[in-house]
Amino acid sequence: MCSATLTVVAAPSAALAADNLPPLRPLVQNLATGGKGCVAGADRPYVSESPRLTAVLYDPEEDNRPAEGNFVKGEFEAWWTGADGSEQRRTYTTNHTLSGSTQAWRMPEDVPPDTVVSWRVRANDGTANSAWSSEDSGSVCEFIYDDENPENPVVSSPEYPEEQRGDGVGEYGTFTMDSPSDDVVSYRYWGLDGTSGTVRPEEPGGPATVRLLPTRRGTERLTVEAVDRSGRSGQTDYSFYVQEGRAPAARWNLADSEGAKSAAAETGPAARAGAGVTFGATAPDGTALTTTASLDGTGHGYLTPDTAVLDTRQTFAVGGWVRPARTDAVRTVASQDADKVPGFTLGLRPGSDSAPMWSFRIGGAEVSGGTPEAGEWAHVLGVYDTETGLATLYMNGHEVGTPQKAAPVEASGAFQIGRARGAAGYRDRWHGEVGDVRIYDRVVVPADAAELGSRKPQLKDHWSLENAEDGASPELYGGAPLKLSDGATVHRSPDLECSLDPDCVPDYALVGDGHLALDGATGHAATDQPVVDTDDSFTIGMVVRLADADPDRPMTVLSQGGENADAFKVRYVPASYEWQLVVTDGDDAGATETVVEQAAVADGGEGAGQRLAVVYDDATDQIKLYLDDYAGAAATASFHGAWRATGGLQVGRGHVGGGWGEYLRGAVDEVHAFSGALDQDDISVLGFGTEPCLC
């Protein structure tokens, strides 16, 4: 096989330009060899099969007689030197076609491999020939036919050896691709969790390397093709095993006993605590944390190991769970000292004319995004990747802001929790709780960031509505009962005697042996206190069946709010044949509403009912209304106005104009309430009398 670089230059704009042609001669333009430009010499193209030669031919209109059309044909000619040294020549003439059409010749199969083939073309309009495309200011076109695939590439990696356990998630590996064939000009690769690309060796047949980042544990496969000048390729599959990502280089749970003077480290050095640090503070629900540390925002509210714990010039990640008490000033969660400045800071800053934002600063660059809220838990994580040069910020496991290029500075001073170094001392002190601060010396990939920032939903209440005593239906695990009003009863499925009586028409419960029956006038059930924290993530599911096939007014099946408005309510609107989830931005009768909907026909007292679920995800500021496990685009919306409802959970009514109304006529069953946002898999389990795994 021949060796040459795969370089294609543009074809001549015209083999015979109009300005250089004698009057009334046909024109030849846009020559191509198998779609590649007309080139001769060292940059001639290589092709993997007998190519299709093409040219666009024109005929001047002035030389046509009135009865003649504007047609033209092409005369192609190709030649090469045979193995015996004799010249071989082939010709082909096309049919007459309209002027301006592309004329083509598929070369015969006897074109020899590894041989320079030259060709040219001229146009004939039945009256005159153009000059050959190689004449005057034109040039011959050349190509070489390559009939052999390159040998399969050889792939290697010191960090991730083939068929062996390598490094872990978040650690880059060098992958070298080489081929025994001397005409390979590029390597295409794909696999490794969706990675793909092309890399070129310094010279044909040489090796090339790429740096790739495994993002998940387990067996991975990288497919590599060695591509020669003609586009032919040989392929290799390279398999290797990626281990779990390396554990934190330093970690402080900050769950130390009250009165402790330092924070014990799970890895790394212990952190000395200032007098403004109080251990034993509350921890975020749905995490493994039991307690956290509270920092008072003064000069004594900090923790430090009095030494550096990371190299800010290398890849690193820093993050933890935080709950700010105030967001009206710059507040630092973590930093590391440089010379009178911090090498990096992770924290929050107030917006100039907007809400405050989380912030990750390193080397003069800043990534900011997400909205810190006083009294609300969030997991914040900053990642700096030396391979890409990018700083990235995560909030509650979701990337926020736009990654920024950063040029980090050396920061060999002490690591700090709750403050940042300044020219006149420490500043930007954290006021609020901090827990589970971790430092990694690798990339924390998006999946790991999502796991670190997730809060597992917790079942708070489950009312199976199987029975009622003293006007209340008990919570299944001993929690607060749902108190029944006039017009609300627990309907029980018929007993065995009815099922044996041919005159008895059984009225079975929606799920299990009982459900809540509401009369549509005054009937409802409620708790005395709020069930879910409506300004944090929550999920509520239920089964409902409307009594009428054509209800005459909207009806609310579930709500929770304050004195004047509902933080959320789920209602059926018969005029538009849909269930709606309505959320508001405050406890005011005129509060702004955000509405999502699910199309549905009222079931008219028959069937197993419809399974509904409300999900508010505070991490993504998103609401969803599920109907029988599905929530499409119309049932999903962004929502940034969540507030904490102070009233109890209402089953069968909601606020209307500052008072109660929209009483439901129908049946309700299997009311579940969770802290946290359930995913679709867990939603699909609700409404059948069982609990989701919440794994």
Side-chain angles (χ1 to χ4, degrees), residues 99 168 230 372 448 518 551 641 687:
S99 174
S230 70
D448 286 348
L518 302 172

Side-chain angles (χ1 to χ4, degrees), residues 572-585:
Y572 185 74
V573 182
S576 50
Y577 299 99
E578 64 188 18
W579 286 104
Q580 293 182 346
L581 167 60
V582 182
V583 294
T584 66
D585 62 357

